[in-house]
Amino acid sequence: MNPRIVVGFDGTAESVAASRWAAREAVLRGVPLHLVHVEETFTVLGVPSAGPGPRHGDADPLLRGAREELLARHPRLRIGSESLGGRPAAALAGAAADADMLVLGSRGLGTLAGVVLGSVGMAVVHALERPVVLVRATEDVGPGPREGHPEGGVVVGVDPGHPCDALLAFAFEEASLRRCALVAVHSWTPPPLAGYGAAYSPEGHAQMAE
């Protein structure tokens, strides 16, 4: 593994928020930050395009500006960058395959499905076996006096019916880095007709209690 944090950056408010969050994470871990811009290349009748396209050259000043802004906040942070062509999900997953984590911006539409369904984020989550963090664009996008992580704990969702050793190890490590509480949450849906009267089933309620 190559210790570093990779962040997808395209200049949007969401990617700016993601880059700032990722920079703080890199400082917290003492690892470099790597900015990745992906310009999607298209094919015609299965033939790859001849080049990354005319907009690809815009990535250099975009990444340079992001790097300068982050260095102003974290002067000692090591920051690298690269511009890639191809399908965004595949390119981002490849760039972060050996990294500590990949950080992406999210519009945060209110539910998990709204955040990632049908997006590059969902495709990356399925393609990458490294932690993927989705960061919403909040008031942190604007300059502010607070650069540290907000106070609070780490919450991990646990499904005892599936292996979760890697998940728990990651959650414990994150809580340890932040010196905060770790809360494990398991949620479940009652079986149909669970309730009272004619629908009452001692066996069903025993299973729920277990």
Side-chain angles (χ1 to χ4, degrees):
M1 188 173 67
N2 183 12
R4 60 177 181 163
I5 292 180
V6 175
V7 56
F9 190 85
D10 61 5
T12 60
E14 293 80 16
S15 71
V16 170
S19 69
R20 293 177 179 176
W21 189 94
R24 294 196 298 269
E25 282 298 300
V27 171
L28 182 66
R29 288 171 162 76
V31 299
L33 178 69
H34 193 65
L35 301 167
V36 177
H37 177 274
V38 181
E39 183 68 43
E40 186 167 12
T41 54
F42 299 93
T43 61
V44 179
L45 299 178
V47 179
S49 59
R55 292 183 298 164
H56 198 60
D58 297 338
D60 290 339
L62 190 68
L63 291 171
R64 185 165 54 250
R67 185 176 183 276
E68 292 173 354
E69 194 262 351
L70 294 174
L71 283 176
R73 292 169 175 257
H74 310 283
R76 297 184 179 181
L77 179 60
R78 292 170 291 165
I79 304 178
S81 63
E82 66 177 321
S83 179
L84 303 173
R87 296 296 182 183
L92 289 168
D98 60 349
D100 289 343
M101 70 170 59
L102 172 64
V103 182
L104 301 174
S106 167
R107 286 184 173 84
L109 301 180
T111 66
L112 181 61
V115 171
V116 298
L117 186 59
S119 68
V120 171
M122 176 62 85
V124 171
V125 167
H126 283 293
L128 190 63
E129 295 185 357
R130 305 300 306 158
V132 178
V133 176
L134 301 178
V135 178
R136 295 181 61 175
T138 64
E139 65 276 3
D140 181 60
V141 172
R146 188 173 188 176
E147 284 298 319
H149 283 271
E151 296 179 2
V154 172
V155 178
V156 56
V158 178
D159 181 358
H162 295 84
C164 53
D165 289 350
L167 172 67
L168 289 174
F170 178 76
F172 272 101
E173 181 181 356
E174 294 303 304
S176 178
L177 282 170
R178 290 163 175 75
R179 299 185 179 182
C180 66
L182 174 62
V183 179
V185 176
H186 171 60
S187 64
W188 44 273
T189 302
L193 301 180
Y196 301 94
Y200 178 80
S201 167
E203 295 78 9
H205 280 258
Q207 291 175 0
M208 287 189 289
E210 182 181 356

